[in-house]
Short mmCIF file of all heavy atoms in Angstrom, two decimals:
data_model
loop_
_atom_site.label_atom_id
_atom_site.label_comp_id
_atom_site.label_asym_id
_atom_site.label_seq_id
_atom_site.Cartn_x
_atom_site.Cartn_y
_atom_site.Cartn_z
N ILE A 293 85.86 -24.41 -111.53
CA ILE A 293 84.93 -25.54 -111.50
C ILE A 293 85.28 -26.54 -112.60
O ILE A 293 85.33 -27.75 -112.37
CB ILE A 293 83.48 -25.02 -111.67
CG1 ILE A 293 83.09 -24.17 -110.47
CG2 ILE A 293 82.51 -26.18 -111.85
CD1 ILE A 293 81.73 -23.50 -110.59
N VAL A 294 85.56 -26.02 -113.80
CA VAL A 294 85.95 -26.90 -114.90
C VAL A 294 87.26 -27.60 -114.56
O VAL A 294 87.42 -28.82 -114.80
CB VAL A 294 86.08 -26.10 -116.21
CG1 VAL A 294 86.63 -26.98 -117.33
CG2 VAL A 294 84.73 -25.51 -116.61
N GLN A 295 88.20 -26.86 -113.98
CA GLN A 295 89.50 -27.45 -113.63
C GLN A 295 89.33 -28.56 -112.59
O GLN A 295 89.96 -29.62 -112.68
CB GLN A 295 90.43 -26.36 -113.10
CG GLN A 295 91.82 -26.86 -112.76
CD GLN A 295 92.64 -25.79 -112.05
OE1 GLN A 295 92.15 -25.13 -111.13
NE2 GLN A 295 93.90 -25.62 -112.49
N SER A 296 88.44 -28.35 -111.60
CA SER A 296 88.23 -29.34 -110.55
C SER A 296 87.60 -30.62 -111.09
O SER A 296 88.03 -31.73 -110.76
CB SER A 296 87.34 -28.74 -109.45
OG SER A 296 87.02 -29.71 -108.49
N VAL A 297 86.58 -30.49 -111.92
CA VAL A 297 85.91 -31.67 -112.48
C VAL A 297 86.87 -32.44 -113.38
O VAL A 297 86.94 -33.68 -113.32
CB VAL A 297 84.64 -31.25 -113.26
CG1 VAL A 297 84.06 -32.43 -114.03
CG2 VAL A 297 83.60 -30.67 -112.31
N ALA A 298 87.61 -31.72 -114.19
CA ALA A 298 88.55 -32.40 -115.09
C ALA A 298 89.65 -33.12 -114.30
O ALA A 298 90.05 -34.24 -114.66
CB ALA A 298 89.17 -31.38 -116.05
N SER A 299 90.14 -32.52 -113.22
CA SER A 299 91.19 -33.16 -112.41
C SER A 299 90.64 -34.39 -111.68
O SER A 299 91.34 -35.40 -111.56
CB SER A 299 91.75 -32.16 -111.41
OG SER A 299 92.33 -31.05 -112.06
N THR A 300 89.39 -34.31 -111.22
CA THR A 300 88.81 -35.43 -110.48
C THR A 300 88.71 -36.68 -111.35
O THR A 300 89.00 -37.80 -110.91
CB THR A 300 87.42 -35.05 -109.94
OG1 THR A 300 87.55 -33.93 -109.07
CG2 THR A 300 86.79 -36.21 -109.19
N TRP A 301 88.32 -36.50 -112.60
CA TRP A 301 88.08 -37.65 -113.48
C TRP A 301 89.16 -37.80 -114.55
O TRP A 301 88.99 -38.59 -115.48
CB TRP A 301 86.70 -37.51 -114.14
CG TRP A 301 85.60 -37.38 -113.11
CD1 TRP A 301 84.85 -36.28 -112.85
CD2 TRP A 301 85.17 -38.38 -112.20
NE1 TRP A 301 83.96 -36.51 -111.84
CE2 TRP A 301 84.13 -37.82 -111.41
CE3 TRP A 301 85.55 -39.71 -111.94
CZ2 TRP A 301 83.48 -38.52 -110.42
CZ3 TRP A 301 84.89 -40.40 -110.94
CH2 TRP A 301 83.87 -39.83 -110.19
N HIS A 302 90.24 -37.06 -114.42
CA HIS A 302 91.40 -37.20 -115.30
C HIS A 302 91.01 -36.98 -116.78
O HIS A 302 91.40 -37.74 -117.67
CB HIS A 302 92.05 -38.58 -115.14
CG HIS A 302 92.36 -38.92 -113.72
ND1 HIS A 302 93.39 -38.31 -113.02
CD2 HIS A 302 91.77 -39.80 -112.86
CE1 HIS A 302 93.44 -38.81 -111.80
NE2 HIS A 302 92.47 -39.70 -111.67
N ILE A 303 90.22 -35.94 -116.98
CA ILE A 303 89.78 -35.60 -118.34
C ILE A 303 90.69 -34.51 -118.89
O ILE A 303 90.96 -33.49 -118.22
CB ILE A 303 88.32 -35.10 -118.33
CG1 ILE A 303 87.39 -36.16 -117.72
CG2 ILE A 303 87.85 -34.77 -119.74
CD1 ILE A 303 85.95 -35.68 -117.52
N ALA A 304 91.16 -34.71 -120.11
CA ALA A 304 92.01 -33.71 -120.75
C ALA A 304 91.17 -32.49 -121.11
O ALA A 304 90.05 -32.62 -121.63
CB ALA A 304 92.66 -34.29 -121.99
N VAL A 305 91.71 -31.28 -120.82
CA VAL A 305 91.01 -30.03 -121.11
C VAL A 305 91.88 -29.18 -122.02
O VAL A 305 93.07 -29.00 -121.75
CB VAL A 305 90.69 -29.24 -119.82
CG1 VAL A 305 89.98 -27.93 -120.18
CG2 VAL A 305 89.84 -30.07 -118.88
N ARG A 306 91.24 -28.66 -123.07
CA ARG A 306 91.92 -27.70 -123.93
C ARG A 306 91.22 -26.36 -123.75
O ARG A 306 90.10 -26.17 -124.20
CB ARG A 306 91.87 -28.13 -125.39
CG ARG A 306 92.62 -27.18 -126.31
CD ARG A 306 92.63 -27.69 -127.72
NE ARG A 306 93.34 -26.75 -128.60
CZ ARG A 306 93.45 -26.90 -129.91
NH1 ARG A 306 92.91 -27.97 -130.51
NH2 ARG A 306 94.10 -26.02 -130.63
N ALA A 307 91.89 -25.43 -123.02
CA ALA A 307 91.33 -24.12 -122.75
C ALA A 307 91.65 -23.18 -123.90
O ALA A 307 92.80 -23.10 -124.36
CB ALA A 307 91.88 -23.56 -121.44
N ILE A 308 90.62 -22.45 -124.37
CA ILE A 308 90.78 -21.56 -125.52
C ILE A 308 90.30 -20.18 -125.12
O ILE A 308 89.16 -19.99 -124.69
CB ILE A 308 89.97 -22.07 -126.73
CG1 ILE A 308 90.47 -23.46 -127.13
CG2 ILE A 308 90.07 -21.11 -127.89
CD1 ILE A 308 89.69 -24.07 -128.27
N SER A 309 91.21 -19.19 -125.25
CA SER A 309 90.88 -17.81 -124.92
C SER A 309 90.24 -17.14 -126.14
O SER A 309 90.83 -17.13 -127.24
CB SER A 309 92.14 -17.04 -124.51
OG SER A 309 91.84 -15.67 -124.32
N THR A 310 89.06 -16.62 -125.94
CA THR A 310 88.34 -16.00 -127.07
C THR A 310 88.78 -14.56 -127.32
O THR A 310 88.51 -14.02 -128.39
CB THR A 310 86.82 -16.02 -126.81
OG1 THR A 310 86.54 -15.31 -125.60
CG2 THR A 310 86.32 -17.46 -126.68
N ASP A 311 89.45 -13.93 -126.33
CA ASP A 311 89.92 -12.57 -126.54
C ASP A 311 91.44 -12.46 -126.46
O ASP A 311 92.01 -11.37 -126.45
CB ASP A 311 89.29 -11.62 -125.52
CG ASP A 311 89.64 -11.98 -124.08
OD1 ASP A 311 90.33 -13.00 -123.86
OD2 ASP A 311 89.20 -11.25 -123.16
N GLY A 312 92.11 -13.62 -126.36
CA GLY A 312 93.57 -13.63 -126.32
C GLY A 312 94.15 -13.45 -124.94
O GLY A 312 95.37 -13.56 -124.76
N GLY A 313 93.32 -13.15 -123.92
CA GLY A 313 93.83 -12.93 -122.57
C GLY A 313 94.12 -14.24 -121.85
O GLY A 313 93.57 -15.30 -122.20
N PRO A 314 94.97 -14.21 -120.82
CA PRO A 314 95.37 -15.43 -120.11
C PRO A 314 94.33 -15.86 -119.07
O PRO A 314 93.37 -15.16 -118.77
CB PRO A 314 96.67 -15.02 -119.44
CG PRO A 314 96.50 -13.56 -119.18
CD PRO A 314 95.70 -13.02 -120.31
N SER A 315 94.53 -17.04 -118.50
CA SER A 315 93.72 -17.57 -117.41
C SER A 315 94.66 -18.16 -116.38
O SER A 315 95.53 -18.98 -116.71
CB SER A 315 92.76 -18.65 -117.91
OG SER A 315 92.13 -19.31 -116.82
N ARG A 316 94.47 -17.77 -115.13
CA ARG A 316 95.37 -18.28 -114.09
C ARG A 316 95.09 -19.74 -113.76
O ARG A 316 95.94 -20.42 -113.16
CB ARG A 316 95.26 -17.42 -112.83
CG ARG A 316 93.86 -17.33 -112.25
CD ARG A 316 93.80 -16.25 -111.16
NE ARG A 316 92.48 -16.11 -110.58
CZ ARG A 316 92.06 -16.80 -109.53
NH1 ARG A 316 92.88 -17.65 -108.93
NH2 ARG A 316 90.84 -16.61 -109.05
N HIS A 317 93.96 -20.24 -114.13
CA HIS A 317 93.64 -21.64 -113.88
C HIS A 317 94.08 -22.55 -115.03
O HIS A 317 94.28 -23.75 -114.83
CB HIS A 317 92.13 -21.82 -113.65
CG HIS A 317 91.62 -21.10 -112.44
ND1 HIS A 317 91.09 -19.84 -112.49
CD2 HIS A 317 91.61 -21.47 -111.12
CE1 HIS A 317 90.73 -19.45 -111.29
NE2 HIS A 317 91.04 -20.43 -110.42
N PHE A 318 94.22 -21.96 -116.22
CA PHE A 318 94.66 -22.73 -117.39
C PHE A 318 95.81 -21.97 -118.06
O PHE A 318 95.62 -21.28 -119.06
CB PHE A 318 93.51 -22.92 -118.37
CG PHE A 318 92.37 -23.73 -117.80
CD1 PHE A 318 91.23 -23.09 -117.31
CD2 PHE A 318 92.43 -25.11 -117.76
CE1 PHE A 318 90.18 -23.83 -116.79
CE2 PHE A 318 91.38 -25.85 -117.24
CZ PHE A 318 90.24 -25.21 -116.75
N PRO A 319 96.99 -22.09 -117.50
CA PRO A 319 98.12 -21.33 -118.08
C PRO A 319 98.49 -21.81 -119.48
O PRO A 319 99.04 -21.01 -120.26
CB PRO A 319 99.25 -21.59 -117.07
CG PRO A 319 98.87 -22.84 -116.37
CD PRO A 319 97.39 -22.87 -116.32
N ASN A 320 98.20 -23.04 -119.81
CA ASN A 320 98.56 -23.56 -121.13
C ASN A 320 97.38 -23.40 -122.12
O ASN A 320 97.02 -24.32 -122.84
CB ASN A 320 98.94 -25.03 -121.03
CG ASN A 320 100.18 -25.24 -120.17
OD1 ASN A 320 101.10 -24.42 -120.20
ND2 ASN A 320 100.20 -26.33 -119.41
N TYR A 321 96.80 -22.25 -122.12
CA TYR A 321 95.66 -21.99 -123.00
C TYR A 321 96.14 -21.70 -124.42
O TYR A 321 97.34 -21.44 -124.65
CB TYR A 321 94.86 -20.80 -122.49
CG TYR A 321 95.57 -19.47 -122.62
CD1 TYR A 321 95.38 -18.66 -123.73
CD2 TYR A 321 96.44 -19.03 -121.61
CE1 TYR A 321 96.05 -17.45 -123.85
CE2 TYR A 321 97.10 -17.84 -121.72
CZ TYR A 321 96.90 -17.03 -122.85
OH TYR A 321 97.56 -15.84 -122.97
N THR A 322 95.21 -21.73 -125.37
CA THR A 322 95.48 -21.31 -126.76
C THR A 322 94.47 -20.24 -127.14
O THR A 322 93.39 -20.14 -126.55
CB THR A 322 95.36 -22.50 -127.73
OG1 THR A 322 94.06 -23.05 -127.65
CG2 THR A 322 96.39 -23.57 -127.40
N VAL A 323 94.84 -19.45 -128.13
CA VAL A 323 93.95 -18.38 -128.60
C VAL A 323 93.03 -18.95 -129.66
O VAL A 323 93.45 -19.73 -130.52
CB VAL A 323 94.77 -17.19 -129.14
CG1 VAL A 323 93.83 -16.11 -129.66
CG2 VAL A 323 95.70 -16.65 -128.05
N GLU A 324 91.78 -18.53 -129.60
CA GLU A 324 90.78 -19.06 -130.53
C GLU A 324 91.10 -18.65 -131.97
O GLU A 324 91.44 -17.50 -132.24
CB GLU A 324 89.38 -18.57 -130.15
CG GLU A 324 88.30 -19.12 -131.08
CD GLU A 324 86.92 -18.63 -130.70
OE1 GLU A 324 86.80 -17.68 -129.90
OE2 GLU A 324 85.94 -19.18 -131.24
N THR A 325 90.95 -19.59 -132.85
CA THR A 325 91.09 -19.34 -134.29
C THR A 325 89.87 -19.94 -135.01
O THR A 325 89.98 -20.88 -135.79
CB THR A 325 92.38 -19.97 -134.83
OG1 THR A 325 92.38 -21.38 -134.52
CG2 THR A 325 93.61 -19.30 -134.25
N ASN A 326 88.72 -19.42 -134.65
CA ASN A 326 87.46 -19.81 -135.29
C ASN A 326 87.02 -21.24 -134.94
O ASN A 326 86.26 -21.85 -135.69
CB ASN A 326 87.57 -19.66 -136.81
CG ASN A 326 86.23 -19.34 -137.45
OD1 ASN A 326 85.36 -18.73 -136.81
ND2 ASN A 326 86.05 -19.75 -138.69
N GLN A 327 87.48 -21.78 -133.81
CA GLN A 327 87.08 -23.15 -133.45
C GLN A 327 85.58 -23.27 -133.15
O GLN A 327 84.94 -24.25 -133.55
CB GLN A 327 87.87 -23.63 -132.22
CG GLN A 327 89.33 -23.92 -132.49
CD GLN A 327 90.21 -22.73 -132.14
OE1 GLN A 327 89.75 -21.58 -132.22
NE2 GLN A 327 91.45 -22.97 -131.77
N ARG A 328 85.02 -22.30 -132.44
CA ARG A 328 83.60 -22.41 -132.08
C ARG A 328 82.70 -22.40 -133.32
O ARG A 328 81.70 -23.12 -133.36
CB ARG A 328 83.20 -21.27 -131.14
CG ARG A 328 83.72 -21.46 -129.73
CD ARG A 328 83.18 -20.41 -128.80
NE ARG A 328 83.70 -19.07 -129.09
CZ ARG A 328 83.38 -17.97 -128.42
NH1 ARG A 328 82.57 -18.05 -127.37
NH2 ARG A 328 83.89 -16.81 -128.73
N THR A 329 83.04 -21.61 -134.30
CA THR A 329 82.23 -21.58 -135.52
C THR A 329 82.28 -22.92 -136.23
O THR A 329 81.26 -23.42 -136.72
CB THR A 329 82.73 -20.47 -136.46
OG1 THR A 329 82.66 -19.21 -135.77
CG2 THR A 329 81.88 -20.41 -137.71
N ARG A 330 83.46 -23.54 -136.28
CA ARG A 330 83.57 -24.85 -136.93
C ARG A 330 82.80 -25.92 -136.17
O ARG A 330 82.32 -26.89 -136.75
CB ARG A 330 85.04 -25.24 -137.04
CG ARG A 330 85.83 -24.40 -138.04
CD ARG A 330 87.13 -25.08 -138.42
NE ARG A 330 87.99 -25.31 -137.26
CZ ARG A 330 88.91 -24.45 -136.83
NH1 ARG A 330 89.10 -23.29 -137.46
NH2 ARG A 330 89.68 -24.74 -135.78
#
């Protein structure tokens, strides 16, 4: 759903894995390094 909305309106998405695991919808994800707390 996030991927579809972002593609429709050409919004840049930065996907962050909170447990380090991958996502098939966001292959270019990054692992969280305390971003949510900040």
Side-chain angles (χ1 to χ4, degrees):
I293 295 174
V294 174
Q295 182 188 46
S296 174
V297 171
S299 299
T300 300
W301 303 111
H302 308 287
I303 302 173
V305 179
R306 182 176 179 183
I308 299 178
S309 174
T310 59
D311 61 357
S315 171
R316 57 190 180 90
H317 297 94
F318 297 100
N320 297 324
Y321 70 93
T322 59
V323 178
E324 181 180 13
T325 56
N326 209 29
Q327 288 96 330
R328 286 187 292 180
T329 302
R330 291 197 300 269

